[in-house]
Amino acid sequence: MEEETRRQLRGLTDLVTKAVAGTVAGIEPVHREIAHYPYAVLTQIPGIRAPARAIERLQLAITTGSYATVRGINRLVGVTAMSLLRSKRDA
């Protein structure tokens, strides 16, 4: 692969990984905010207040884990792609 092609692909890799990271950083807080609305209502009902809070905590933990996974995979893909593109060997 020609060096100019490698340079362009490294730039594309950087652009895509930053775009994914920025998108996740923007969406995650909005997701949390929207997901909180039904629980805000449900926790006002005395008979289901405690279960609603427990379910909200569980959903928040799952959501946090999901976004962390997306960020981790994005970093892994970016680092792997950059490493392969820095290699001088042609496959």
Side-chain angles (χ1 to χ4, degrees), residues 48-61:
I48 63 170
R49 180 175 293 138
R53 284 183 179 152
I55 293 168
E56 182 179 21
R57 284 192 301 271
L58 177 61
Q59 181 180 353
L60 181 59

Side-chain angles (χ1 to χ4, degrees), residues 2-76:
E2 303 233 357
E3 186 53 38
E4 179 62 16
T5 302
R6 286 179 199 272
R7 186 188 66 73
Q8 291 173 345
L9 289 172
R10 284 191 299 268
L12 179 61
T13 298
D14 187 52
L15 177 68
V16 170
T17 55
K18 285 179 179 175
V20 170
T23 300
V24 170
I27 290 174
E28 185 175 10
V30 174
H31 185 168
R32 288 173 185 266
E33 181 73 21
I34 291 169
H36 176 70
Y37 289 134
Y39 296 109
V41 172
L42 292 172
T43 57
Q44 299 304 309
I45 303 169
I48 63 170
R49 180 175 293 138
R53 284 183 179 152
I55 293 168
E56 182 179 21
R57 284 192 301 271
L58 177 61
Q59 181 180 353
L60 181 59
I62 292 168
T63 300
T64 299
S66 297
Y67 282 106
T69 299
V70 171
R71 284 191 296 272
I73 290 171
N74 183 52
R75 282 192 298 270
L76 178 63

